[in-house]
Amino acid sequence: MTSQARYVYAVCRADADVPTRDLATVGPARSRLHKVVHRHIAAIVSPYDGDWVPASRANLRAHTAVVDEAAARGAAVPVRFGVVMPDEVAVREDLLRPNAASLSRLLHRFEHVKEFRLQASYHDDVVIREAASADRTVRRMLHPAGAASRSGYHDQIALGEAVAAAVEDIQRRDEVELLRHLAAVTEDNRVLPVDPAVDAFGAAFLVADRERAAFERTVDEIATANAKRMQFHLVGPLPAWDFVELPFASEPDDPRALRTG
Amino acid sequence: MPTQTSSVSRAPRPSSLADVLDLILDKGLVIDAYVRVSALGIELLTIDARVVIASVDTYLRFAEAVNRLDLTDTETAGIQGLTAEIGESGARSKVRGALEGAKEMTGHNGHDRERSSAGRRRSSDS
């Protein structure tokens, strides 16, 4: 691939400012960020010289920083790490033109909103205690007279399975409640996979800028009400990584076909 | 409004490499034919970070944990008590009003859920 190639970071409005801060670009040498415009939309790109994009720390950081900066300046559709197109014609003809309508709709949706990721984990033993207390199967296995603690390997596995199932029920109920409480102050959500052994909850939320204070206040209220059983971690504002959804522009085997995570 | 003690930790950006990778290698727009990632080891790392398969070890750990609990002081309030507690902080009416105002919006909330099949595998195993 020659230096005609373009590394793609994000799609934005044609009149958006290109991040001009002194940002590093993806690739071995610092290059110039610029836009490739098609009508009302544009791709933020930089020249790229190389056949492959190493997922190095520097490259990952550069990609993230440019997308962050683009989203901080206005609506931006993040592009996944590692997309290199052979030239600006390809950016225009294979990315922007065939998907212009869908991309414009996404940009409209991302106007004045940001993503936040909320994760919660249970304090040690709290959820185990709740499971043991509330689940009939677990209680039966534990009692009477500590039968489970005296039993063998396979009984312990069965007990652990019953606890795991009860924990999952609790996680599911917590998830429903958390989503219900946050629905009023969020535009949309995506439940994220969690580690069922330790995590309580994980979700990405699309939050309007005007609702941000109310959203954070609601998260605080939820965390305060659950302080004895959960701790919460809130990350953001982020570009709307989890909400990039587009219809296919063409057949999946067509190079112009876009897909999302 | 009185200051509330909150157990929310905040960060403007993901702090762990796994979380960064989860975003930029797994989300966002991608044009299949033009992906040029050279990522030796990355795939394994992301799989390790994101997929947890219920295992015998997990079950044994749960069993060990439940066996050593003193269940006499078990608390069962759970998140069901959340509404009441928020109500006590004076936010109940505000939340309810906001919920009513957002009925139309809640229709799409929770749809298109991303769910790790592995993350729920345990329920079918049990």
Side-chain angles (χ1 to χ4, degrees):
Chain A
M1 213 169 275
T2 72
S3 58
Q4 295 296 308
R6 294 292 180 266
Y7 183 92
V8 188
Y9 301 84
V11 174
C12 62
R13 295 195 187 285
D15 59 358
D17 293 333
V18 175
T20 52
R21 223 176 50 181
D22 190 23
L23 291 175
T25 50
V26 173
R30 181 165 295 205
S31 55
R32 186 178 58 89
L33 287 167
H34 62 281
K35 287 185 293 188
V36 176
V37 174
H38 169 76
R39 302 186 65 174
H40 302 300
I41 59 175
I44 298 174
V45 303
S46 63
Y48 191 82
D49 191 6
D51 292 331
W52 295 94
V53 186
S56 64
R57 187 174 291 271
N59 282 344
L60 294 166
R61 189 183 293 138
H63 182 93
T64 306
V66 173
V67 176
D68 285 351
E69 182 72 8
R73 287 164 175 266
V77 179
V79 172
R80 193 174 301 187
F81 178 85
V83 171
V84 180
M85 306 189 81
D87 52 33
E88 294 193 1
V89 174
V91 174
R92 201 172 284 113
E93 297 301 318
D94 290 350
L95 169 61
L96 298 177
R97 193 178 60 78
N99 300 286
S102 302
L103 289 166
S104 294
R105 274 195 297 274
L106 265 188
L107 287 170
H108 180 70
R109 188 171 190 228
F110 293 166
E111 200 79 59
H112 306 304
V113 298
K114 298 287 184 297
E115 174 174 330
F116 285 82
R117 286 186 147 206
L118 180 65
Q119 289 160 317
S121 55
Y122 294 110
H123 294 311
D124 284 349
D125 287 346
V126 164
V127 72
I128 304 281
R129 190 178 291 275
E130 288 178 14
S133 168
D135 189 83
R136 194 181 304 168
T137 307
V138 176
R139 290 187 76 87
R140 195 169 56 234
M141 297 172 87
L142 283 174
H143 302 285
S149 62
R150 291 200 308 269
S151 58
Y153 179 80
H154 293 291
D155 297 302
Q156 289 298 300
I157 298 274
L159 174 63
E161 275 189 287
V163 173
V167 167
E168 193 166 322
D169 286 342
I170 293 168
Q171 286 171 320
R172 208 174 288 128
R173 282 201 300 273
D174 285 344
E175 179 185 300
V176 168
E177 283 297 304
L178 289 166
L179 292 177
R180 188 173 67 80
H181 278 279
L182 288 163
V185 288
T186 55
E187 302 285 314
D188 202 354
N189 68 60
R190 295 290 178 273
V191 174
L192 302 171
V194 297
D195 179 345
V198 292
D199 292 334
F201 173 80
F205 293 94
L206 205 57
V207 180
D209 293 343
R210 66 177 185 283
E211 293 281 10
R212 180 172 167 184
F215 169 74
E216 295 202 38
R217 200 162 50 240
T218 305
V219 170
D220 275 334
E221 289 166 354
I222 290 170
T224 302
N226 284 277
K228 289 182 181 170
R229 55 194 300 269
M230 292 181 187
Q231 55 197 14
F232 290 81
H233 185 55
L234 182 64
V235 177
L238 297 166
W241 284 101
D242 284 282
F243 298 90
V244 179
E245 288 141 4
L246 286 176
F248 287 112
S250 49
E251 292 302 311
D253 58 352
D254 187 307
R256 288 177 298 181
L258 298 178
R259 64 182 174 85
T260 57
Chain B
M1 189 172 167
T3 303
Q4 294 178 322
T5 53
S6 169
S7 48
V8 183
S9 62
R10 287 175 159 80
R13 298 285 170 267
S15 51
S16 76
L17 178 61
D19 286 342
V20 172
L21 296 177
D22 180 49
L23 282 181
I24 78 172
L25 287 184
D26 207 35
K27 311 285 182 180
L29 206 59
V30 61
I31 309 130
D32 282 334
Y34 296 116
V35 172
R36 295 283 182 269
V37 179
S38 157
L40 191 64
I42 290 291
E43 189 176 354
L44 278 179
L45 176 60
T46 55
I47 289 171
D48 285 349
R50 289 170 37 225
V51 177
V52 176
I53 300 170
S55 64
V56 167
D57 285 345
T58 304
Y59 293 148
L60 288 175
R61 195 167 63 76
F62 275 134
E64 189 272 331
V66 79
N67 278 326
R68 69 180 149 78
L69 286 180
D70 174 7
L71 293 174
T72 55
D73 63 343
T74 297
E75 293 179 21
T76 58
I79 205 166
Q80 292 88 339
L82 175 63
T83 305
E85 292 189 45
I86 286 182
E88 286 165 14
S89 74
R92 181 204 287 265
S93 58
K94 182 170 51 190
V95 170
R96 188 196 299 129
L99 280 169
E100 286 167 358
K103 274 177 184 166
E104 292 176 13
M105 193 162 60
T106 56
H108 57 259
N109 273 284
H111 295 182
D112 301 329
R113 295 147 69 88
E114 294 184 16
R115 177 69 73 193
S116 158
S117 58
R120 293 294 168 194
R121 194 168 299 162
R122 187 175 50 205
S123 58
S124 58
D125 290 346
S126 58

